[in-house]
Amino acid sequence: MNKKGLDYAALLLLVVIIGLVIIFVQVQSKLDKVSNLGVNQENILRVNNDVKLFERYLKDASEIAMGNVLVEFSEIGRTKEEACPLIKKDSSPVILEPHLTTFFNQHINPYLMNHAIISKYDIPVNNFKIGIEGNDFVISAVKPITMKLAGEKGEVSVRPIIILPNYVDRFGEYDEYLERARNVLRNCDGNENPFECSKSHLKNGAVWESYDYQASGGRIQGITTKPIEIDMYKVPNTNNYKITFHTLYQSTVCYQVTLNSPAQPST
Amino acid sequence: MTNKKAADPRAIVLIFSALAMALAIIIFYIWLGISGVEKQQSSINGRVGLIFFDNLLTDAIVENPSILRGTAGTVQTNLAKLISSRYVQSKGAPIIGVPDDIKCQMLNTGPSVCSMTIRTTADASNCFTYLRQVILPESRFVTAKSEPLPSKIINMNVRVCSE
């Protein structure tokens, strides 16, 4: 065999082998980066879970904020006799206190700001409005909330709607108390001193099974073991008696009861 | 008279060399292709496993955030039970490595941390890690409305290993 031919072939083979090794090394380094395949898709899919968790946070924060609003309203109800806070369920349709949205936003804002600091989401404050649908509170965002994708490659905007289900119905338990309170007022109707009369009804346990009570300055305040506090007082210059029920940390409801032939309360 | 010219041995060597090199190049590219596809498939499967588990974990927390409240032991137990049962529900097979691989450190101040490794099969080879941050609002009455409230932060370092 011709030696020159073999030399030439061996040289070619060497070149090819070197070429393949170079290609192999280059490709291998790129193949290692294949493990990053799907990262962007993963971030896009995972943002759905970010949204779910954020909505849950909003819902829980809304429950807490609404509870705080109710406590604050009950405080207002105690200090301002003209205030009948939150809901007049005794009327139809249910009337929502017009300042509820403002109060609610004031109470939920800190939670939004706190979340924004931790998560780096763009969360506007004073962003929620409240409505009633059936027995539910419907809390909806006005401006969108912007969430960045992991890796900062893109962002998602959401405008959440939170439903606090059967929230209006939570006041249903007070209907029972309202009826009992009305009975007290009926029993004491025409009495010379309706407050003392009411107090005695409260005291003898005929109306509220178990309670403690305080009477101060023309107001009867009963505290049941539930614990539910009951304020009852006569609205000045009217025939109306106002009865307010509120728990210590949850909800407050206000009823306005009119006596047919009211007696003058003692002062 | 015919003049039969013998084949040039150099040409034969060159032809065979070229064929051998072409064969080597073809085999190399086939290997490269298969290897590339396998790596891509493995990566994609790993990501799918990660997303599947993240969905499972998120849904569990969204349905009942209180599983992340309590002592480290309680949270570990809650997570282990929940993950196991949900995984069986959705995949029909038990998960491997739970609950032993869940370790939580719950702190009153600062972010709490839970680390877990989830192996979906015994011979799980592809492992991907990710951080799932959960923020829970603290329930209390606020008087200073302008100040941000401390929320409970749980950083979950999750390592998902799947085929």
Side-chain angles (χ1 to χ4, degrees):
Chain A
M1 192 180 283
N2 190 304
K3 199 183 168 191
K4 279 185 180 175
L6 273 177
D7 290 349
Y8 189 56
L11 188 66
L12 269 180
L13 196 63
L14 191 67
V15 169
V16 168
I17 288 169
I18 291 169
L20 286 178
V21 167
I22 292 167
I23 292 171
F24 176 79
V25 170
Q26 283 189 338
V27 169
Q28 196 62 33
S29 66
K30 287 194 173 148
L31 274 180
D32 289 340
K33 290 179 184 169
V34 168
S35 59
N36 290 332
L37 193 73
V39 170
N40 290 337
Q41 291 84 343
E42 177 206 317
N43 289 337
I44 291 168
L45 290 170
R46 274 181 51 205
V47 81
N48 187 42
N49 292 334
D50 294 339
V51 173
K52 279 188 206 169
L53 283 169
F54 179 63
E55 285 182 340
R56 177 70 207 207
Y57 177 89
L58 276 183
K59 184 170 183 184
D60 290 349
S62 298
E63 291 264 8
I64 296 166
M66 190 60 78
N68 290 340
V69 169
L70 296 171
V71 170
E72 193 172 4
F73 272 18
S74 76
E75 295 297 325
I76 292 170
R78 283 179 198 172
T79 54
K80 293 180 185 175
E81 294 196 347
E82 71 276 10
C84 195
L86 189 58
I87 276 179
K88 291 174 184 168
K89 197 164 183 271
D90 207 21
S91 63
S92 184
V94 172
I95 299 168
L96 192 64
E97 215 288 333
H99 298 299
L100 182 61
T101 294
T102 312
F103 274 71
F104 176 78
N105 275 318
Q106 282 177 355
H107 278 282
I108 202 169
N109 280 347
Y111 288 99
L112 302 179
M113 289 155 66
N114 193 218
H115 197 291
I117 290 169
I118 298 164
S119 64
K120 313 291 181 204
Y121 297 164
D122 183 9
I123 308 173
V125 292
N126 296 320
N127 192 32
F128 289 98
K129 60 179 181 183
I130 304 174
I132 288 182
E133 259 186 40
N135 280 324
D136 304 338
F137 276 171
V138 180
I139 301 164
S140 47
V142 180
K143 286 181 259 179
I145 292 157
T146 308
M147 308 161 74
K148 281 198 165 43
L149 290 181
E152 308 280 318
K153 290 180 179 173
E155 58 187 30
V156 173
S157 289
V158 290
R159 195 176 293 172
I161 294 175
I162 301 137
I163 295 174
L164 300 182
N166 301 319
Y167 217 83
V168 179
D169 254 2
R170 289 189 187 185
F171 301 100
E173 65 181 285
Y174 294 103
D175 288 343
E176 183 191 346
Y177 290 92
L178 172 67
E179 201 46 48
R180 292 180 179 193
R182 276 178 172 154
N183 284 336
V184 171
L185 291 173
R186 281 189 203 109
N187 286 329
C188 298
D189 195 6
N191 190 290
E192 283 184 6
N193 192 333
F195 279 88
E196 285 302 317
C197 173
S198 301
K199 197 166 75 176
S200 68
H201 272 80
L202 290 168
K203 195 175 180 180
N204 67 21
V207 178
W208 279 276
E209 293 87 356
S210 176
Y211 61 91
D212 189 7
Y213 73 92
Q214 296 168 355
S216 59
R219 173 182 290 193
I220 294 174
Q221 189 176 63
I223 304 170
T224 71
T225 52
K226 288 268 179 171
I228 295 171
E229 292 184 19
I230 303 147
D231 283 347
M232 180 170 67
Y233 49 86
K234 189 175 188 298
V235 180
N237 306 319
T238 69
N239 291 338
N240 293 341
Y241 281 81
K242 187 177 283 184
I243 302 171
T244 308
F245 305 93
H246 51 89
T247 65
L248 294 181
Y249 51 88
Q250 273 295 329
S251 47
T252 299
V253 69
C254 174
Y255 295 102
Q256 209 152 287
V257 181
T258 306
L259 286 175
N260 290 328
S261 53
Q264 291 299 313
S266 64
T267 53
Chain B
M1 186 176 163
T2 55
N3 184 14
K4 282 191 178 175
K5 204 172 182 179
D8 188 344
R10 285 181 303 182
I12 293 169
V13 167
L14 276 175
I15 288 166
F16 275 104
S17 300
L19 282 175
M21 284 183 284
L23 193 67
I25 291 169
I26 288 166
I27 290 169
F28 175 77
Y29 274 101
I30 288 172
W31 168 83
L32 201 64
I34 292 170
S35 167
V37 167
E38 277 176 355
K39 283 209 171 190
Q40 287 179 38
Q41 200 163 17
S42 148
S43 174
I44 289 168
N45 284 347
R47 300 281 170 199
V48 169
L50 187 152
I51 290 162
F52 171 82
F53 182 76
D54 192 44
N55 286 344
L56 186 142
L57 185 65
T58 305
D59 288 345
I61 295 168
V62 166
E63 278 176 32
N64 186 10
S66 62
I67 60 168
L68 296 178
R69 293 188 188 274
T71 61
T74 310
V75 174
Q76 282 170 199
T77 310
N78 289 343
L79 282 171
K81 277 184 190 167
L82 222 138
I83 290 166
S84 301
S85 63
R86 280 175 177 259
Y87 194 85
V88 171
Q89 271 174 17
S90 53
K91 291 282 188 185
I95 203 164
I96 311 287
V98 171
D100 297 340
D101 287 346
I102 300 177
K103 296 276 179 273
C104 291
Q105 194 182 8
M106 307 307 285
L107 303 172
N108 288 329
T109 55
S112 300
V113 181
C114 278
S115 301
M116 62 183 86
T117 301
I118 308 298
R119 292 183 183 84
T120 56
T121 57
D123 57 347
S125 50
N126 298 313
C127 294
F128 290 96
T129 54
Y130 76 100
L131 172 71
R132 166 54 63 204
Q133 189 174 56
V134 182
I135 307 169
L136 302 176
E138 293 285 19
S139 174
R140 64 183 186 185
F141 187 70
V142 196
T143 47
K145 293 171 199 157
S146 57
E147 288 181 16
L149 289 176
S151 297
K152 191 174 182 63
I153 306 168
I154 301 115
N155 288 326
M156 308 182 86
N157 298 311
V158 186
R159 183 175 169 84
V160 182
C161 298
S162 57
E163 270 186 315

